Amino acid sequence: MQRHSPRRSKALLLISLAIGFLIPLAGVAQTPALPGLGMNQAKKILSDLDDLGNFPGKDYSALFTIVSEKPGEKQSVTQVRVFRRDSKKQFTILIMLPEVNKGQGYLREEDNVWFYDPTGRKFSHSSIKENIQNSEAKNADFTSSSLSKDYDIQKISEASIGKFPVWVLDLRAKNNEVPYDRMVLYVRKDRIMILKQEDYSVNGRLMRTTLFPKYVEVEGKLLPSQILIVDEINRGEKSQITMAEQTVEKLPDKVFTKAFLEQVNR
Amino acid sequence: MPVTLRIAFRNIFEHKSKSLIIGILLAMGSLILIVGNSFIDASRTGIEITFSDNYTGDVFISGISPEGPVSLFGVTSVGGLAATPIIPDFEKVLAILSKNPQVDAYSGMATGYGIVTKNPELSIDQTMHAVGEEDDPSESDPSFRFFFLFGVDPSSYWTMFDSVRLTSGSLIQPGSTGLLVNEKQLEKISKWMKKPLGVGDTLVIQGFSASGMKIRELPILGTYVQQGEGAAPEQMSFVDIDTLRILAGMTVGSNEDIVLMEEQFSLLRAADEEIIFGEDLFGDDIIGAAPAKGSFDEAKIQAQLADTKARDLANTADTGAWQFLVIKAKDPSRTNQLIKELNLSLKNEGIEAVAGDWQKAAGPYGQSVDVIRIVFTIAIAILSIVAIIIIMNTFVISVIERTGEIGTMRAIGAQRVFVRKLFAAESVVLSLFFAIIGALLAIGVVALLRSLKVEAGNPFLAILFGGKYLSPYITVFNFLGGIAGMVAVGYVAHLYPVSVALRIQPVQAMRND
């Protein structure tokens, strides 16, 4: 156990990253290990990852704990409950920690986002387009991306991470709708699960490294339960996201309403 | 009149066309220099008066941030997320001010940012419908929704500054809660909300700071127009200090500790990925047990959010917290001395705060004056180099034409120094004459520009103009400086041609003639 001080810098960005971007990537196919990987098989892995990250007809909810580190500063902690319904492009986020922001909520439906502050008992409204214009968040951080649709495989190689032999898939963006021009995925050979992801800018600079060292199995699908995001531009800045209470059970419709944010704060 | 001067005058009149070309260049140079400087002076003075008279006083004290310089607009930092520091040991700082005889008055302040939100009471469907039919052209420039909030101490602020003229309602009084909004901004918000707004109505403001976002519904206490013709943005609104503190995250409990489980931060401790994916951290399998099945439990979430004691405390305004102190000096001409004294006192007391002038307080606005000056200086430097080259070239032609004359003078005993003096006199006389003409023209141009009352159509021009109207003025220093600068250009330009002339042997020169 350790004591930490909360600070909310970049917390929302990390939440959006985690719910909109990482989970769809982290699906897992129960494919046997391949002796060598051809282009077609690599493409199959990508489309499997896309398919398995979606939960058709189901919802997703979890409790995220985000601990961020910055050199010379105390660790900051944010804990949020996340509710997702991709079929209607809806999500609800409830802030549980830090205390100063407890009960605050975000509700998204299509391009609209509402923010609720229980201390003022009021909502504010904005559109995703507005937010993206003024932040470092990218389109794909808020919408599910599709690896096979957005990326071409440039190169396939082999390596190992820790004790795991991995396929290294070097991907290049097909369009400019994705946040990073180049992405390198390290996919475990025996169970085809992503262990590591590197994101590169257009000029080839490594921007961000993400590790997926821990998964849980929910209704036959593997979901990451711990993620480490390392900012490669600002040395020493990194965040750990821990997902608990993950479920893909159907949620009541009212979870995605303004009334829900008000009710849970009563 | 010395002989060199007489010959110089004679030469100028004998070579009228060349003299005129050089003269026009020099006159243009002094005209541009003087008019340009009159713009910069007007801009600097305009912004200085606007800020020092209306917002910052003569001296400005703030806390120190490791992220960058602190101004009324917050910390100028990369990414712009740094929290504005609170002045530490505020009571001690007040004691320093009360002891200094040069301090006339002072007031505590804090600033923050907010955005007004529309239709907070509508349901999702209603809001989406409203958004769908949005065709308001003002949406293309949503800057009117933005608030630069001044949290002021009403007991001292209004007596120190008369920056605002009330058009309705009242000023913020001690103990009152609400907003004093710029009348023009409120008009734009009314148009956007499609309903008339005035004193007594409320605005829902979402404040944002490094510690998160807060929403407050605030009554409009009054509307104002800005006194004078300053260059301050119309998004400036005044708000009671406690509301500002909440919106800006200046709360008593914002340093609470959170207890975490080891597994929630263990990855941050791991030295590298080999350890993370090795056997030690998670054992043989990285796939953990499935979480227990359970249906959605609203009551459980409600219970987790039910205890709001810590939140209430964390959202209580820290009544002792101030970001800035604005100070009026008894003798504004001695401001720099006062700043030195205050900084020395702060240092001696070991207080992490710093005093500065209006330019420090104005932050990006103050820096814009420097940027304009630097750009102008670079432009003038480039122009001067071009002018020197053209003048030099013309002088060289003139010297070559006069090779025989120079040779004759040298042959009958004129020393090199005499020839040098002759050309120096010629260039200085020419430069001085035309630089003065240019300077006089500059006076005319500036007078014309002032009489035209050109209005600044946008915020950038308002900074450039130093106010609502273009009102450049010429100081004695700039007038004389412009003339001296062009004389220097003329003098420098003649050096090379003279050295060419002096290389010619007298015998050869006379033969060529």
Side-chain angles (χ1 to χ4, degrees):
Chain A
M1 303 283 252
Q2 186 177 321
R3 300 186 85 75
H4 299 255
S5 164
R7 253 189 2 94
R8 264 186 31 86
S9 63
K10 293 192 182 174
L12 181 61
L13 181 62
L14 289 168
I15 296 163
S16 61
L17 279 173
I19 64 168
F21 185 49
L22 299 173
I23 288 170
L25 290 184
V28 174
Q30 303 274 346
T31 338
L34 303 164
L37 198 66
M39 186 55 80
N40 285 339
Q41 288 162 307
K43 281 181 180 170
K44 175 79 168 57
I45 290 176
L46 285 194
S47 68
D48 282 350
L49 292 174
D50 283 336
D51 290 345
L52 291 162
N54 297 322
F55 316 106
K58 290 179 178 176
D59 299 326
Y60 170 84
S61 66
L63 178 67
F64 283 35
T65 306
I66 300 150
V67 185
S68 297
E69 259 184 14
K70 231 178 163 181
E73 290 183 19
K74 273 181 161 182
Q75 282 181 337
S76 76
V77 180
T78 305
Q79 194 172 66
V80 295
R81 280 197 178 277
V82 174
F83 307 94
R84 233 177 82 186
R85 178 172 288 171
D86 289 350
S87 58
K88 286 191 167 180
K89 286 189 176 176
Q90 290 173 322
F91 71 62
T92 297
I93 296 171
L94 257 178
I95 297 177
M96 309 306 286
L97 284 173
E99 288 288 348
V100 68
N101 296 322
K102 187 161 112 177
Q104 287 186 344
Y106 295 86
L107 170 63
R108 180 193 161 181
E109 184 163 326
E110 293 183 354
D111 277 349
N112 296 286
V113 177
W114 290 265
F115 167 68
Y116 180 67
D117 179 7
T119 62
R121 297 194 178 278
K122 287 284 171 192
F123 284 91
S124 70
H125 169 264
S126 62
S127 76
I128 288 277
K129 284 173 197 153
E130 276 175 42
N131 286 347
I132 289 171
Q133 276 167 3
N134 298 315
S135 76
E136 51 186 302
K138 309 285 195 308
N139 251 314
D141 290 341
F142 294 93
T143 56
S144 301
S145 69
S146 161
L147 287 175
S148 45
K149 198 179 81 192
D150 293 334
Y151 287 92
D152 277 329
I153 301 168
Q154 288 275 312
K155 203 175 127 195
I156 306 160
S157 55
E158 292 177 74
S160 65
I161 299 180
K163 60 178 181 175
F164 300 104
V166 289
W167 300 115
V168 183
L169 305 181
D170 198 334
L171 312 179
R172 294 296 157 97
K174 287 181 188 174
N175 52 52
N176 56 9
E177 298 292 306
V178 290
Y180 296 103
D181 188 57
R182 181 183 165 211
M183 187 194 283
V184 179
L185 299 181
Y186 296 76
V187 186
R188 195 170 149 179
K189 278 186 179 178
D190 57 346
R191 292 200 69 173
I192 318 291
M193 47 202 286
I194 296 172
L195 296 187
K196 178 178 164 184
Q197 175 185 330
E198 290 171 344
D199 299 314
Y200 293 84
S201 67
V202 178
N203 58 18
R205 189 170 180 191
L206 178 59
M207 307 290 282
R208 184 169 76 180
T209 301
T210 312
L211 303 180
F212 303 85
K214 191 90 175 160
Y215 284 80
V216 288
E217 198 161 351
V218 180
E219 295 195 14
K221 288 183 177 182
L222 287 175
L223 302 173
S225 62
Q226 286 191 353
I227 299 174
L228 180 68
I229 300 175
V230 180
D231 185 335
E232 301 288 358
I233 303 298
N234 303 303
R235 284 278 157 201
E237 289 189 23
K238 49 188 177 176
S239 301
Q240 176 177 340
I241 306 176
T242 308
M243 293 90 147
E245 300 175 32
Q246 295 194 87
T247 146
V248 292
E249 285 168 34
K250 187 108 178 97
L251 294 164
D253 291 347
K254 72 167 180 183
V255 170
F256 304 102
T257 63
K258 288 166 82 178
F260 173 71
L261 291 177
E262 289 175 313
Q263 272 166 23
V264 291
N265 275 293
R266 270 190 191 140
Chain B
M1 190 187 281
V3 66
T4 45
L5 265 184
R6 262 185 292 157
I7 298 174
F9 273 117
R10 189 209 66 187
N11 283 338
I12 288 169
F13 285 109
E14 266 194 11
H15 303 91
K16 281 195 192 77
S17 60
K18 288 187 193 70
S19 301
L20 204 62
I21 293 168
I22 296 170
I24 289 171
L25 277 170
L26 291 165
M28 290 272 288
S30 72
L31 174 77
I32 293 170
L33 202 59
I34 293 169
V35 172
N37 275 318
S38 75
F39 272 59
I40 293 174
D41 283 338
S43 172
R44 188 187 165 84
T45 314
I47 295 180
E48 179 174 354
I49 290 172
T50 303
F51 275 84
S52 59
D53 283 5
N54 297 331
Y55 306 106
T56 66
D58 302 308
V59 183
F60 173 81
I61 293 181
S62 73
I64 297 167
S65 169
E67 307 259 356
V70 183
S71 73
L72 269 182
F73 299 90
V75 180
T76 312
S77 65
V78 181
L81 281 171
T84 308
I86 286 164
I87 297 178
D89 299 313
F90 192 71
E91 295 301 322
K92 278 191 193 172
V93 180
L94 292 187
I96 289 171
L97 295 183
S98 57
K99 273 186 222 157
N100 193 309
Q102 282 303 312
V103 173
D104 184 38
Y106 52 84
S107 185
M109 269 188 73
T111 59
Y113 297 96
I115 189 161
V116 63
T117 189
K118 184 162 70 167
N119 302 330
E121 71 284 355
L122 295 186
S123 71
I124 289 182
D125 287 344
Q126 286 168 318
T127 316
M128 285 177 70
H129 180 66
V131 170
E133 69 187 19
E134 190 65 72
D135 58 0
D136 188 346
S138 61
E139 282 291 270
S140 59
D141 176 20
S143 62
F144 67 89
R145 289 177 57 199
F146 185 79
F147 279 91
F148 179 41
L149 297 163
F150 265 47
V152 296
D153 178 359
S155 61
S156 52
Y157 190 86
W158 305 120
T159 52
M160 262 179 83
F161 298 104
D162 55 358
S163 54
V164 300
R165 181 168 61 77
L166 272 181
T167 49
S168 67
S170 64
L171 295 172
I172 291 164
Q173 301 300 327
S176 62
T177 300
L179 285 166
L180 180 63
V181 192
N182 188 305
E183 192 181 60
K184 280 187 191 160
Q185 189 184 10
L186 193 62
E187 276 171 21
K188 289 178 186 169
I189 294 169
S190 299
K191 199 174 155 196
W192 175 62
M193 288 194 174
K194 297 189 174 89
K195 63 177 180 186
L197 291 167
V199 176
D201 293 323
T202 58
L203 291 177
V204 175
I205 306 284
Q206 180 181 335
F208 38 95
S209 68
S211 63
M213 295 195 281
K214 291 281 173 254
I215 302 179
R216 286 292 179 274
E217 186 171 21
L218 297 170
I220 299 166
L221 298 175
T223 57
Y224 76 91
V225 290
Q226 202 176 302
Q227 296 275 30
E229 296 166 350
E234 72 183 24
Q235 289 94 338
M236 276 185 183
S237 281
F238 298 88
V239 64
D240 64 284
I241 183 67
D242 279 346
T243 301
L244 188 282
R245 283 171 178 145
I246 290 167
L247 293 176
M250 297 160 67
T251 50
V252 281
S254 49
N255 283 321
E256 92 232 37
D257 282 342
I258 291 171
V259 179
L260 286 176
M261 312 286 282
E262 174 80 23
E263 61 171 32
Q264 289 170 323
F265 59 88
S266 55
L267 294 179
L268 297 169
R269 293 266 181 85
D272 58 40
E273 62 188 44
E274 293 302 315
I275 292 172
I276 290 174
F277 289 102
E279 290 182 14
D280 298 339
L281 204 59
F282 297 116
D284 282 341
D285 204 342
I286 63 170
I287 301 166
K293 272 193 137 188
S295 56
F296 170 77
D297 188 351
E298 187 178 335
K300 181 182 154 196
I301 297 169
Q302 240 174 351
Q304 284 171 338
L305 296 176
D307 182 2
T308 59
K309 267 187 222 153
R311 182 180 75 196
D312 294 343
L313 187 65
N315 281 291
T316 304
D318 183 354
T319 48
W322 298 93
Q323 291 169 341
F324 317 117
L325 268 162
V326 285
I327 299 155
K328 286 248 167 156
K330 277 192 180 137
D331 178 4
S333 65
R334 292 194 63 234
T335 296
N336 286 340
Q337 179 62 29
L338 176 58
I339 291 170
K340 270 186 200 163
E341 287 172 18
L342 292 175
N343 276 328
L344 189 66
S345 303
L346 291 168
K347 197 178 164 194
N348 289 342
E349 293 275 344
I351 300 168
E352 289 278 303
V354 63
D357 60 4
W358 74 272
Q359 210 165 356
K360 169 183 158 57
Y365 268 80
Q367 282 163 12
S368 63
V369 180
D370 288 339
V371 171
I372 293 166
R373 188 178 288 274
I374 289 166
V375 170
F376 179 71
T377 307
I378 291 170
I380 287 291
I382 293 168
L383 210 65
S384 300
I385 291 166
V386 173
I388 286 173
I389 291 168
I390 296 171
I391 294 168
M392 205 184 283
N393 208 22
T394 317
F395 265 134
V396 168
I397 294 166
S398 167
V399 164
I400 289 167
E401 276 180 1
R402 285 151 64 186
T403 308
E405 181 189 323
I406 294 162
T408 309
M409 280 194 288
R410 294 288 310 282
I412 59 174
Q415 298 293 308
R416 280 169 185 264
V417 69
F418 177 81
V419 180
R420 271 187 208 283
K421 270 189 190 168
L422 186 67
F423 275 90
E426 198 176 318
S427 71
V428 169
V429 165
L430 192 66
S431 313
L432 190 64
F433 179 71
F434 281 101
I436 289 173
I437 289 179
L440 294 174
L441 279 174
I443 293 176
V445 169
V446 166
L448 181 71
L449 288 173
R450 287 180 74 91
S451 69
L452 288 176
K453 279 216 153 209
V454 180
E455 197 169 340
N458 59 55
F460 175 75
L461 282 182
I463 293 173
L464 200 66
F465 291 6
K468 198 175 171 189
Y469 298 104
L470 179 63
S471 6
Y473 65 91
I474 298 171
T475 61
V476 175
F477 179 80
N478 277 340
F479 184 81
L480 296 178
I483 294 170
M486 283 304 115
V487 170
V489 165
Y491 183 80
V492 170
H494 98 284
L495 293 175
Y496 172 71
V498 171
S499 72
V500 171
L502 291 177
R503 274 203 293 268
I504 301 166
Q505 291 303 315
V507 177
Q508 191 192 352
M510 288 168 73
R511 196 183 303 140
N512 286 349
D513 201 31

